[in-house]
Amino acid sequence: MKKTLIFFGTALILGLGYWLISPLFTTREVNESLEDIVTTGNPIIEVSSGEKTNENNPAEVEIIGQGNFLGADSFHKASGKAKLLKIGEKYYVRFENDFSVTNGPDLFVHFGKDGRYVSEARLGELKGNAGSQNYEVPSTINPLDYNEIWIWCRAFSVPFGSAKIE
C-alpha cells in the first residue's frame, strides 16, 4: 500500500511539474491574418478612428486604439503591438506579427483599466506566445470601458504583460 501511494504521489508531482515548467521551454507561434476576421470577401481598408472611406464597399476596419506590450517584470516579458479594432458592429483585439510573451501555464487575454486587469473582461485563452492573433470581444463586454489589454496567468494569479490602448 505504501509503495502504491509513493508511486501515485510521484506521478502526480511529476505531472504537475511538467505542466508548470514545460511552457517555459516551448514556443507556440500563431499566424492569424486580419482577413481571418473579415467575412465579406471585399478588400480590407484600415482607417484610423474618425476617418471614413467607401471604395467599392470594402470591409472597413476601424482602428479604435493601439498600444505596445510591456512585460510585467524581468521574468515575465512581453512585447509587440496590440490593436482594438471595430469591423461592422463587432470589436476585435488583434496582436500583430511582432507579438511575443514569455510562455507559461494557463495564460488568458483580458481587458484592464488604469493598471489593473479585470477578471470579468476575459477575451479567451491565449492562442500562442508568439505571432499574430485575433480575439473577438464578446457582446457582453464593452471594450470602450477599458484602456488596457492584459496577458494573465490564472494558475498563479500573476500578470505576464499588458498593453495600454490609446
Side-chain angles (χ1 to χ4, degrees):
M1 180 68 164
K2 189 175 182 180
K3 289 181 181 181
T4 304
L5 287 176
I6 291 172
F7 173 76
F8 283 115
T10 303
L12 179 66
I13 290 170
L14 289 175
L16 183 61
Y18 176 78
W19 180 73
L20 293 173
I21 295 172
S22 69
L24 297 175
F25 304 105
T26 60
T27 297
R28 291 182 302 152
E29 188 163 347
V30 179
N31 189 19
E32 295 181 338
S33 70
L34 187 57
E35 288 82 9
D36 292 339
I37 56 178
V38 178
T39 58
T40 62
N42 292 324
I44 295 172
I45 296 183
E46 285 192 28
V47 296
S48 297
S49 186
E51 295 178 22
K52 295 295 177 193
T53 185
N54 192 1
E55 272 181 37
N56 300 327
N57 195 22
E60 188 175 299
V61 177
E62 185 179 355
I63 301 171
I64 304 300
Q66 56 189 338
N68 291 311
F69 274 100
L70 296 173
D73 54 41
S74 61
F75 182 73
H76 302 105
K77 299 176 182 173
S79 63
K81 183 171 282 197
K83 292 181 179 179
L84 176 60
L85 306 173
K86 185 175 182 184
I87 302 172
E89 297 302 314
K90 292 185 177 184
Y91 289 94
Y92 296 87
V93 168
R94 174 163 173 77
F95 299 168
E96 294 297 339
N97 291 337
D98 62 349
F99 170 73
S100 176
V101 67
T102 303
N103 206 355
D106 211 22
L107 297 180
F108 281 79
V109 180
H110 288 260
F111 278 119
K113 185 167 181 140
D114 301 331
R116 300 188 72 105
Y117 106 104
V118 178
S119 62
E120 301 82 31
R122 183 172 61 194
L123 301 179
E125 186 174 0
L126 185 69
K127 296 174 183 178
N129 66 307
S132 56
Q133 303 170 44
N134 304 314
Y135 297 89
E136 184 175 342
V137 177
S139 61
T140 57
I141 297 174
N142 180 359
L144 303 178
D145 291 342
Y146 306 98
N147 61 0
E148 297 166 340
I149 298 170
W150 285 70
I151 308 299
W152 188 262
C153 175
R154 288 191 324 178
F156 294 103
S157 294
V158 296
F160 272 49
S162 64
K164 185 166 181 72
I165 302 299
E166 302 180 56

